[in-house]
Amino acid sequence: MKKVLILLLFSNILTAQISNVIRNKDSYTQEVFPYKGVRAIQIDEVSAVGNEDNVFIFSKIEKNANPDKMYFQRFTKVNDKWIVKSIFEVNHSGIISAWGSRKAFGDYNKDKSVDALFIYGLYDADFKQQSVHLIFSQKDQFYTIESSVSDDFKTDKFSSNFKSLDAESKKQVLEYWGKLDKKDK
Protein backbone atom coordinates (compact mmCIF):
# COMPACT_ATOMS: atom_id res chain seq x y z
CA MET A 1 0.00 0.00 0.00
CA LYS A 2 2.85 2.37 0.90
CA LYS A 3 4.52 1.72 -2.48
CA VAL A 4 1.24 2.48 -4.31
CA LEU A 5 0.91 5.83 -2.48
CA ILE A 6 4.50 6.77 -3.30
CA LEU A 7 3.96 5.77 -6.94
CA LEU A 8 0.76 7.87 -7.14
CA LEU A 9 2.53 10.87 -5.59
CA PHE A 10 5.43 10.51 -8.04
CA SER A 11 3.09 10.24 -11.04
CA ASN A 12 1.24 13.39 -9.91
CA ILE A 13 4.53 15.27 -9.75
CA LEU A 14 5.42 14.13 -13.27
CA THR A 15 2.09 15.24 -14.72
CA ALA A 16 1.94 18.58 -12.88
CA GLN A 17 3.29 20.73 -15.67
CA ILE A 18 1.52 24.02 -14.99
CA SER A 19 3.07 26.49 -12.57
CA ASN A 20 1.43 29.62 -11.15
CA VAL A 21 3.74 32.39 -9.86
CA ILE A 22 2.45 34.97 -7.38
CA ARG A 23 4.15 38.37 -7.19
CA ASN A 24 3.24 41.86 -6.09
CA LYS A 25 0.97 43.43 -8.72
CA ASP A 26 3.23 46.51 -8.83
CA SER A 27 6.10 44.43 -10.25
CA TYR A 28 4.22 44.17 -13.56
CA THR A 29 4.98 47.57 -15.06
CA GLN A 30 3.60 48.90 -18.33
CA GLU A 31 7.17 49.21 -19.62
CA VAL A 32 7.49 45.42 -19.54
CA PHE A 33 3.81 44.54 -20.03
CA PRO A 34 2.18 47.27 -22.14
CA TYR A 35 -1.37 46.49 -21.06
CA LYS A 36 -4.17 48.59 -22.59
CA GLY A 37 -5.95 49.92 -19.50
CA VAL A 38 -4.71 52.51 -17.02
CA ARG A 39 -4.88 50.16 -14.04
CA ALA A 40 -4.24 46.44 -13.69
CA ILE A 41 -6.93 44.76 -11.62
CA GLN A 42 -5.90 41.11 -11.88
CA ILE A 43 -2.59 39.53 -12.91
CA ASP A 44 -1.72 35.84 -13.16
CA GLU A 45 1.69 34.52 -14.18
CA VAL A 46 1.33 30.93 -15.36
CA SER A 47 3.90 28.70 -17.06
CA ALA A 48 3.92 25.39 -18.85
CA VAL A 49 7.08 24.21 -17.12
CA GLY A 50 10.05 24.07 -19.47
CA ASN A 51 8.01 25.26 -22.44
CA GLU A 52 6.11 28.52 -22.11
CA ASP A 53 5.78 31.52 -19.77
CA ASN A 54 2.57 33.58 -19.76
CA VAL A 55 1.17 36.57 -17.93
CA PHE A 56 -2.59 37.18 -18.03
CA ILE A 57 -3.64 40.75 -17.21
CA PHE A 58 -7.09 42.20 -16.66
CA SER A 59 -6.89 45.99 -16.85
CA LYS A 60 -9.50 48.71 -16.83
CA ILE A 61 -9.93 52.34 -17.77
CA GLU A 62 -10.29 55.10 -15.15
CA LYS A 63 -12.42 54.39 -12.08
CA ASN A 64 -16.10 55.35 -12.29
CA ALA A 65 -15.98 55.69 -16.10
CA ASN A 66 -19.28 55.06 -17.84
CA PRO A 67 -19.35 53.06 -19.99
CA ASP A 68 -16.86 50.83 -18.23
CA LYS A 69 -14.16 49.09 -20.27
CA MET A 70 -11.98 46.11 -19.36
CA TYR A 71 -9.18 44.51 -21.35
CA PHE A 72 -7.94 40.97 -20.98
CA GLN A 73 -4.49 40.32 -22.45
CA ARG A 74 -2.33 37.23 -22.72
CA PHE A 75 1.40 37.98 -22.79
CA THR A 76 3.86 35.20 -23.71
CA LYS A 77 7.62 35.36 -23.33
CA VAL A 78 9.38 35.05 -26.70
CA ASN A 79 13.18 35.45 -26.88
CA ASP A 80 13.21 36.99 -23.36
CA LYS A 81 10.64 39.63 -24.33
CA TRP A 82 6.96 39.68 -23.37
CA ILE A 83 4.67 39.96 -26.39
CA VAL A 84 0.87 40.23 -26.57
CA LYS A 85 -0.51 36.95 -27.92
CA SER A 86 -4.16 37.98 -27.71
CA ILE A 87 -6.46 40.66 -26.40
CA PHE A 88 -10.14 40.63 -25.51
CA GLU A 89 -12.07 43.84 -24.84
CA VAL A 90 -15.30 44.22 -22.87
CA ASN A 91 -17.43 47.40 -22.93
CA HIS A 92 -20.45 47.83 -20.67
CA SER A 93 -22.62 50.74 -19.63
CA GLY A 94 -22.49 49.78 -15.97
CA ILE A 95 -19.77 48.01 -14.01
CA ILE A 96 -17.48 45.16 -15.12
CA SER A 97 -16.00 43.05 -12.33
CA ALA A 98 -13.37 40.32 -12.64
CA TRP A 99 -14.07 37.45 -10.26
CA GLY A 100 -10.43 37.08 -9.23
CA SER A 101 -10.78 33.85 -7.27
CA ARG A 102 -12.66 32.08 -10.05
CA LYS A 103 -10.07 30.83 -12.49
CA ALA A 104 -8.40 27.61 -13.62
CA PHE A 105 -5.19 26.68 -15.43
CA GLY A 106 -4.21 23.50 -17.20
CA ASP A 107 -3.04 21.91 -20.41
CA TYR A 108 -6.29 20.31 -21.46
CA ASN A 109 -5.30 19.47 -25.03
CA LYS A 110 -1.79 18.29 -24.01
CA ASP A 111 0.05 20.67 -26.39
CA LYS A 112 2.46 21.91 -23.66
CA SER A 113 0.83 25.35 -23.70
CA VAL A 114 -1.13 26.94 -20.87
CA ASP A 115 -4.92 26.86 -21.11
CA ALA A 116 -6.58 29.38 -18.79
CA LEU A 117 -10.11 30.31 -17.88
CA PHE A 118 -11.40 33.33 -16.01
CA ILE A 119 -14.78 34.62 -14.87
CA TYR A 120 -16.17 38.15 -14.84
CA GLY A 121 -19.58 39.70 -14.27
CA LEU A 122 -21.54 42.61 -15.68
CA TYR A 123 -23.50 44.81 -13.28
CA ASP A 124 -25.75 47.85 -13.52
CA ALA A 125 -24.73 51.20 -11.99
CA ASP A 126 -26.11 50.10 -8.60
CA PHE A 127 -23.95 46.95 -8.71
CA LYS A 128 -26.89 44.64 -9.36
CA GLN A 129 -25.68 41.62 -11.34
CA GLN A 130 -26.85 41.33 -14.94
CA SER A 131 -24.74 38.45 -16.29
CA VAL A 132 -21.74 36.19 -15.76
CA HIS A 133 -19.06 35.39 -18.37
CA LEU A 134 -16.28 32.85 -18.85
CA ILE A 135 -13.20 33.62 -20.97
CA PHE A 136 -11.12 30.61 -22.03
CA SER A 137 -7.64 31.38 -23.39
CA GLN A 138 -5.84 28.79 -25.51
CA LYS A 139 -2.74 29.85 -27.48
CA ASP A 140 -3.80 33.06 -29.28
CA GLN A 141 -7.57 32.41 -29.17
CA PHE A 142 -10.33 33.33 -26.75
CA TYR A 143 -13.55 31.38 -26.33
CA THR A 144 -16.46 32.65 -24.27
CA ILE A 145 -19.62 31.53 -22.53
CA GLU A 146 -22.17 33.86 -20.97
CA SER A 147 -25.38 33.53 -19.01
CA SER A 148 -27.87 36.14 -17.83
CA VAL A 149 -29.77 36.89 -14.64
CA SER A 150 -32.83 37.64 -16.81
CA ASP A 151 -33.60 33.90 -17.22
CA ASP A 152 -31.98 32.82 -13.94
CA PHE A 153 -28.84 31.60 -15.79
CA LYS A 154 -30.74 28.89 -17.68
CA THR A 155 -29.49 29.80 -21.19
CA ASP A 156 -25.81 29.72 -22.13
CA LYS A 157 -24.50 31.70 -25.08
CA PHE A 158 -21.24 30.54 -26.67
CA SER A 159 -18.79 32.43 -28.86
CA SER A 160 -18.95 31.40 -32.52
CA ASN A 161 -15.53 29.72 -32.29
CA PHE A 162 -16.42 27.61 -29.22
CA LYS A 163 -17.49 24.65 -31.37
CA SER A 164 -13.96 24.50 -32.83
CA LEU A 165 -12.42 23.63 -29.45
CA ASP A 166 -10.97 20.14 -29.13
CA ALA A 167 -13.14 17.66 -27.22
CA GLU A 168 -11.05 17.50 -24.02
CA SER A 169 -10.75 21.30 -23.67
CA LYS A 170 -14.47 21.70 -24.32
CA LYS A 171 -15.23 19.01 -21.71
CA GLN A 172 -13.05 20.69 -19.06
CA VAL A 173 -14.46 24.18 -19.73
CA LEU A 174 -18.07 22.98 -19.71
CA GLU A 175 -17.47 21.03 -16.48
CA TYR A 176 -16.08 24.16 -14.81
CA TRP A 177 -18.96 26.29 -16.13
CA GLY A 178 -21.53 23.72 -15.01
CA LYS A 179 -20.21 23.74 -11.43
CA LEU A 180 -19.82 27.54 -11.24
CA ASP A 181 -22.19 29.37 -8.88
CA LYS A 182 -23.18 32.02 -11.41
CA LYS A 183 -25.17 34.18 -9.01
CA ASP A 184 -23.02 36.80 -7.28
CA LYS A 185 -24.68 37.02 -3.87
Side-chain angles (χ1 to χ4, degrees), residues 18-21 25 28 33 35 40-48 52-59 71-77 82-88 98 100 103-106 113-118 135-142:
I18 302 297
S19 162
N20 188 2
V21 177
K25 190 165 60 170
Y28 297 92
F33 301 96
Y35 54 85
I41 58 169
Q42 181 179 324
I43 300 173
D44 291 282
E45 186 171 337
V46 187
S47 299
E52 176 186 77
D53 297 321
N54 297 280
V55 172
F56 299 93
I57 299 179
F58 279 95
S59 63
Y71 303 95
F72 177 73
Q73 291 174 269
R74 179 181 184 142
F75 292 86
T76 301
K77 195 177 237 182
W82 292 98
I83 61 159
V84 176
K85 278 289 217 185
S86 49
I87 183 167
F88 184 81
K103 54 190 162 192
F105 307 105
S113 176
V114 173
D115 298 330
L117 65 85
F118 301 90
I135 301 173
F136 180 64
S137 174
Q138 191 174 68
K139 296 244 181 231
D140 63 352
Q141 294 293 308
F142 288 116

Side-chain angles (χ1 to χ4, degrees), residues 8-64:
L8 284 173
L9 178 63
F10 185 69
S11 70
N12 282 340
I13 290 170
L14 287 177
T15 59
Q17 297 178 9
I18 302 297
S19 162
N20 188 2
V21 177
I22 299 172
R23 299 177 208 233
N24 183 323
K25 190 165 60 170
D26 296 335
S27 66
Y28 297 92
T29 64
Q30 282 199 321
E31 290 77 34
V32 179
F33 301 96
Y35 54 85
K36 300 262 304 175
V38 296
R39 56 196 173 101
I41 58 169
Q42 181 179 324
I43 300 173
D44 291 282
E45 186 171 337
V46 187
S47 299
V49 177
N51 191 52
E52 176 186 77
D53 297 321
N54 297 280
V55 172
F56 299 93
I57 299 179
F58 279 95
S59 63
K60 289 182 79 175
I61 59 175
E62 308 76 35
K63 282 186 179 187
N64 303 317

